[in-house]
Structures are given as C-alpha cells and as structure tokens.
Amino acid sequence: MQQLSVFRGGLRMRALGALAVLLSVAIVVAAPPAARAASSFPDVPPSHTFYTHISWLADQGITYGYADGSFGPDDSVTRGQLAAFLYKMAGSPDYTPPSTPTFPDVSRSNTFYKHVEWLVSTGIASGYSNGRFGVSDSVTRGQMAVFLYNLAGSPKFDVPWIPTFPDVSLANAFYLHVEWLATTGVSAGYANGDFGPSASVTRGQIAAFLYKYSRLDASAFEDSASGSDATVPTQREAAAAYCASTPQSTLSPRNSSDLLTAANKERAVLGLAPLTWSSTLASAASGWSATLASRDDATSALHDQLAHNPNAPGAENVAMSYFSAGQSRASAATIAHRGWVASYGHCMNMLSASYSRMGAGMAMTSDGTTWYSTVNFN
C-alpha cells in the first residue's frame, strides 16, 4: 500500500520582543536557630501529613503555635505571620525598624511590625499597589513563591519554556517564582497537577515549604543561567523553542471539529488560551479543501495539487494524505494534525498567541484515495 503525506504552511516571522527582566535582590540567609525541644500539638498527631514539617518548624523556634497549644495546620497563613516565619528562618537578623511605618496598616504597635519592615527592607516582599501591606490578609501560594524566591536571593536559573503546572502559564505574574519552586523541589503542586497560585497557603503547607527550602543544597541559591537575571520566555519564544524541537503529537482527531480540540490541547502545553471555532474560517477552509480535491480529480498526475489559498482569510495550514487503497476521514485528520505539529511553520501557526479563532475543513477526491485538509487562523 502506497502512502504519501505532504504539508505546506506559511508563517510571517517577526523579530522577537524584548525579554521581561526581573531584578534580583541578593540576601544572605543565615542558618536557622539552634534546635529546641520538639513541640507537640494535639491537632498534629504523628500520622498527620505535615507532622515532620511542623515538628521541625517548632524545633527551630520559627513558630510555637497558638496560645491554646494547637497549631492549626489547616488555617490560612497571613502575610504578617509569614513575615515573622521568614524573619526567623533567616536567623532573626539584627535589624532596627524605621521610626515611621512604611505601611498605614502596619503600625509600630503591630505584632509583626519589625518582621514586615525587615521583609520590605530586604526586597523579599512589597506591599499592594494601594500602599497597604495587607498584614492580616491570607497569603496566596503565588505570593509565597515570590517570597521564597526572593529570600533565596532571586537566583538565576534556566526558566523552562513549557509550564510545569497548567494553571501557571507563561503570562502568569508568578511564573518565574513558581517554576523556581518546582525546579528546586520545594513544591510539586497538588495531586491533580495544578499549583493553585491563587489558593491560600495553609499553616501545614507553609511548614512543608520551609522545611524543604531549608534542605536545599547550595546550588539552589547559585546562578545557573546566562545574563544578569533569570528571564521568563515570551509566549512566542516558548512556542518557537517548542516547535523547533520537532514535537511528536499523539493526538488522533477524527474530523474537522476534532482538529480544533487537538489544536487546543497542543496550545495547553504552553499555557496558551484556547482557540474558538469560527464558522467563517471553517467555510473558507472547507471550500479550499474542496477546490484542491476537484483539481486533483481533474488531472491524472498524483499529488501535485497541494497549494495555499491566495485569498486565505488568515494564517493557513494545508495538508494532503494519500493511500492507494483509500482511507478514512479519521485517518486523514490524524495525519494532518500530527504533520502540522511536527512542522515548524505549521506548529507556529497553531501555537501563536496572536490568534484566537480557527476553522477547519476536509475534502476527499472522488476515487477515495486522497484527502485534503485545511485550517485557517486569525
């Protein structure tokens, strides 16, 4: 059985945009205080998931729990509490806070005044755009990632161009910081694969994060990337690197609408927004596939009818697949999609952050041997 697959696609290349640079503030993290007698909390039995981490936190004197003797592992951590944890984690450095408060909601009489002022003076954290620190607000997991990354001295590292977590895309403000946590092993996210950047950090979770942070070797705090700072790749740069690696798709779309589903699954790998179906683009794609099939029927020469629509309403991918004994629509759709993913120009069309809509259409020659598939993007 003879098989032939041909792919063509067009891509207008543009110069890469400037990289987003995040300034680093180096800070020397002192060794934790000498171990104290382990504290026992009635709400943290030895069988508790965070027992080891919470016991360590108490042994180091980073926290002793609540006045009633409990720890509250499921309670949210406030930004003030985390400031105190990190101050003690750094060895309770000698520091005299300013006489005038930096934030209107953290007065000199506030329990966490010294800790918050120290945190800000070192560049580990800053307040909100409204000028407040939010001392009583719950810390989100994304904010926590920033605090720990900055506590480590904002080390340079090779930022991955494929997101580790589907809910923390390249465009997420916490992408760099979350990826550092993942790279160093401080956090592996939730069991479902997400990180939950907007979720509140519990006291049990922060105990685990700080415990793992304390056990990082020196390399985690050293620069490992070229340049002056770790940089987050742009979505275009990430797509270019991904497509240049000649990725091999395992998806098996069965028809034109499935091609949209498959394209969105490929985009999800890079955290790109899904494309929506456009009837206008689908009509144009279907019409062009039908034109190519009719041209093929009109000639006795094989496989010479593949071409781009000169009036394509946007970026376009076109594919042809041929089986001398005939083939199904599903087989042709799968061949087209996998070929586009493995071809740089077609892959870049599919993964462009500039496109939000897609339409697809397929047509078969009268003898059943050849399918033409077209997708349009804009």
Side-chain angles (χ1 to χ4, degrees):
M1 178 181 294
Q2 183 183 8
Q3 176 181 348
L4 178 65
S5 300
V6 185
F7 304 90
R8 291 182 185 170
L11 176 69
R12 293 187 177 91
M13 298 300 293
R14 294 177 295 177
L16 295 179
L19 296 179
V21 178
L22 301 178
L23 298 179
S24 63
V25 180
I27 178 170
V28 177
V29 181
R36 299 180 176 87
S39 298
S40 178
F41 302 105
D43 55 345
V44 187
S47 60
H48 196 282
T49 300
F50 299 119
Y51 175 78
T52 297
H53 315 96
I54 291 172
S55 295
W56 170 84
L57 205 66
D59 288 347
Q60 301 304 308
I62 295 174
T63 183
Y64 296 111
Y66 295 134
D68 64 1
S70 66
F71 182 80
D74 297 324
D75 293 349
S76 296
V77 178
T78 68
R79 288 167 61 90
Q81 290 170 344
L82 184 57
F85 291 167
L86 297 184
Y87 174 77
K88 295 176 183 178
M89 183 84 175
S92 299
D94 186 19
Y95 171 73
T96 301
S99 57
T100 302
T102 302
F103 304 103
D105 61 331
V106 189
S107 66
R108 297 188 63 185
S109 61
N110 190 289
T111 301
F112 302 114
Y113 179 68
K114 180 177 182 178
H115 312 102
V116 169
E117 293 290 349
W118 172 82
L119 206 67
V120 173
S121 71
T122 57
I124 293 174
S126 59
Y128 298 138
S129 58
N130 64 3
R132 298 173 57 256
F133 181 76
V135 66
S136 299
D137 294 349
S138 297
V139 179
T140 68
R141 289 167 62 89
Q143 292 171 349
M144 178 274 305
V146 174
F147 293 163
L148 292 186
Y149 176 72
N150 290 344
L151 180 68
S154 304
K156 292 175 290 184
F157 70 107
D158 296 311
V159 184
W161 40 267
I162 294 182
T164 301
F165 306 102
D167 60 338
V168 186
S169 71
L170 290 164
N172 191 291
F174 303 121
Y175 182 77
L176 174 75
H177 317 92
V178 170
E179 289 296 341
W180 183 79
L181 290 188
T183 299
T184 56
V186 173
S187 177
Y190 294 129
N192 66 357
D194 288 343
F195 180 78
S198 299
S200 297
V201 182
T202 68
R203 289 167 60 85
Q205 290 171 347
I206 199 64
F209 290 142
L210 296 182
Y211 175 84
K212 294 176 182 177
Y213 178 97
S214 74
R215 278 155 173 72
L216 294 176
D217 60 39
S219 64
F221 305 97
E222 297 173 352
D223 296 338
S224 61
S226 60
S228 60
D229 295 282
T231 55
V232 178
T234 65
Q235 290 181 323
R236 182 178 176 80
E237 290 167 340
Y242 180 71
C243 292
S245 69
T246 315
Q248 301 298 307
S249 178
T250 59
L251 300 179
S252 300
R254 300 179 60 81
N255 51 47
S256 297
S257 59
D258 275 2
L259 287 172
L260 173 66
T261 301
N264 283 334
K265 287 183 178 179
E266 305 293 353
R267 290 170 68 87
V269 172
L270 296 182
L272 295 168
L275 300 166
T276 58
W277 183 262
S278 166
S279 297
T280 300
L281 294 180
S283 178
S286 297
W288 186 244
S289 291
T291 296
L292 293 178
S294 64
R295 288 180 182 177
D296 196 310
D297 283 335
T299 180
S300 58
L302 293 175
H303 327 307
D304 62 351
Q305 302 307 310
L306 194 65
H308 273 299
N309 182 356
N311 300 311
E316 182 179 73
N317 288 350
V318 182
M320 179 188 74
S321 58
Y322 167 83
F323 278 87
S324 59
Q327 62 180 306
S328 68
R329 180 186 295 269
S331 175
T334 295
I335 290 172
H337 175 77
R338 293 183 180 182
W340 288 328
V341 171
S343 170
Y344 182 82
H346 303 83
C347 179
M348 287 294 287
N349 278 343
M350 189 181 300
L351 300 183
S352 173
S354 300
Y355 302 141
S356 60
R357 303 191 305 160
M358 172 184 150
M362 302 175 66
M364 183 181 67
T365 55
S366 59
D367 62 2
T369 63
T370 309
W371 278 91
Y372 288 91
S373 303
T374 305
V375 293
N376 290 121
F377 309 89
N378 67 17

